[in-house]
Amino acid sequence: MTATVQARAPRDLLRWWPAAAGVGVAAVAGFDVAEDGGVGLAPVLAASAVIYLGAAALGRPRAAWPLFFGAFAVLAVAGAYATWALLGAAVLLAGYGLLRGVVRGLPLQAVATAGFGGAAALALVVSPELGAHLVATGLLGHAVWDVHHHRTGRVVTRSLAEFCAVLDTLLAVAITVATLVA
């Protein structure tokens, strides 16, 4: 190998850090699937939507990562009420965006948040099996949403969209397998 190829290799590997992080977080979150069959990941579905809505409301794609870490903190602190807390945050973020006069991206993200957040909330009040299917379907739908945003480069950073696409897909697969095995 030439020195140029050797020097480029670490950079090429670093390019894939969002996907690798998505795999790592999915591996850790997968333990929840083993415990509850997937309904416990409803807050993750809600958080996915809220992060996109928040970035649109703030008008800053780079806000997506701080919003991710904020949503992660809510997941850790709010426990069983995390889905409801995140949906409440979504209402506040949408209101803030409207007050700021944000028009670009906010209406579509609000509709997406209503859909994904509604699926997450509904998953908590139906049978565990149906709830798991709702969460898995919602996560898979959000993975498609992530791919769209990664390709267009709008609303959130491409690194967050890539991370979420991997995370959402792996969690949806894990939930589906867990419900089929159970």
Side-chain angles (χ1 to χ4, degrees):
M1 288 176 113
T2 66
T4 305
V5 172
Q6 288 175 340
R8 211 175 12 190
R11 277 189 306 194
D12 291 344
L13 290 176
L14 282 177
R15 187 270 169 257
W16 294 103
W17 75 264
V23 170
V25 172
V28 172
F31 292 118
D32 284 343
V33 175
E35 281 183 28
D36 62 20
V39 176
L41 293 178
V44 174
L45 177 58
S48 297
V50 172
I51 292 164
Y52 277 67
L53 176 72
L58 296 171
R60 298 176 190 266
R62 292 186 184 264
W65 279 109
L67 287 163
F68 167 80
F69 290 113
F72 192 86
V74 170
L75 293 174
V77 173
Y81 302 104
T83 298
W84 307 110
L86 288 163
L87 294 177
V91 170
L92 294 174
L93 286 165
Y96 177 75
L98 288 172
L99 288 174
R100 286 188 60 231
V102 174
V103 178
R104 185 174 180 190
L106 187 61
L108 185 58
Q109 296 305 323
V111 169
T113 300
F116 295 124
L122 185 59
L124 299 175
V125 298
V126 298
S127 72
E129 186 177 341
L130 179 57
H133 287 296
L134 280 169
V135 172
T137 302
L139 286 168
L140 203 52
H142 199 271
V144 172
W145 194 244
D146 296 325
V147 169
H148 166 73
H149 284 84
H150 184 269
R151 288 178 51 94
T152 63
R154 294 185 186 146
V155 181
V156 298
T157 59
R158 295 184 74 180
S159 62
L160 184 101
E162 180 179 329
F163 165 82
C164 284
V166 171
L167 175 64
D168 294 348
T169 301
L170 292 176
L171 291 179
V173 169
I175 293 168
T176 302
V177 169
T179 55
L180 291 175
V181 170

